[in-house]
Amino acid sequence: MSEAPVPILMYHAVAASPNSATRALSVAPEAFAEQMALLGDRGLTPLTTATLAAHWRSGAPLPERPVLITFDDGYEGVHRHALPVLAEHGFPATLFVSTGWLRGAHDTGGALDTMLDWDQVRELAASGIEIGGHSHTHPQLDQLDDLRLRRELTRCRDLVAGELGALPVSFAYPYGYSSRRVRQAVREAGFAQALAVGNALAHRSQGPYALRRVTVRRGTGIDEFARLVEGRAVGRTFARDRVLTKGYALVRRTRQIRRKASRDRV
């Protein structure tokens, strides 16, 4: 009998007053609290990304009704608003940081809103939040040449290790996109598993470097959220997103082919 799929929830900012750049993918603090309460009331068991992957890698049985709570980029509201709620419920989660966006000595600029600083990241890690990698400057990884791709991954890995004292083992692709070349580079950089988007439930058969997530955004009402974690009507909920993703994937492949042809002519 095949294993049941696992909902992996993808959050970004948790903010009362997000700016226009992050508003659509932000969640209001009250909504986040209500969503976490629903997970608790329905008996779901949150895991970190590393824990899920380790279970699937070893074949060990998963706990009852597993779910993953993940955050991308590293917005300050994860510490201000999400951490107290997670701590109240005793929920672990995974935060994927773009190290060049975090406030501090390694900040390269380009962040879309107020970000965490490294002291806050350390507090999150000490509270049971797994810290994973999300590249250094949040580029479209499949559009980079091999050297820049490797630098984005290793710079992110090394900064997290240097600041936290442990190598990150999980990764999330910026924008959710990857390719076989990107997935191989992530593996070579030492990450043991990686998350995409896909807006579908995660299955072991997807492989450790292409696990899918479902997007939680500002417009996700509590009824829709309940359907997502129950695995009901996920395809219908994200039907429009999938059409747009397929179209954008074609554009991206066309760009890659053109760049390769241009390099070959040089």
Side-chain angles (χ1 to χ4, degrees), residues 34-35 217-226:
E34 186 179 21
Q35 291 161 4
R217 43 197 161 197
R218 207 161 191 87
T220 303
I222 194 63
D223 291 337
E224 179 182 322
F225 182 82

Side-chain angles (χ1 to χ4, degrees), residues 229-242:
V229 299
E230 297 286 349
R232 294 184 286 114
V234 175
R236 186 165 66 249
T237 299
F238 294 105
R240 182 173 180 274
D241 299 72
R242 289 178 178 175

Side-chain angles (χ1 to χ4, degrees), residues 41-97:
D41 291 344
R42 300 204 175 187
L44 278 86
T45 305
L47 306 173
T48 65
T49 303
T51 300
L52 174 68
H55 275 272
W56 275 348
R57 193 172 285 112
S58 68
L62 288 167
E64 189 74 15
R65 304 195 70 195
V67 63
L68 272 65
I69 304 161
T70 71
F71 302 90
D72 281 9
D73 302 342
Y75 295 100
E76 193 269 345
V78 175
H79 182 275
R80 179 188 300 270
H81 300 298
L83 179 58
V85 176
L86 295 170
E88 177 185 350
H89 292 282
F91 287 170
T94 304
L95 167 67
F96 296 101
V97 295

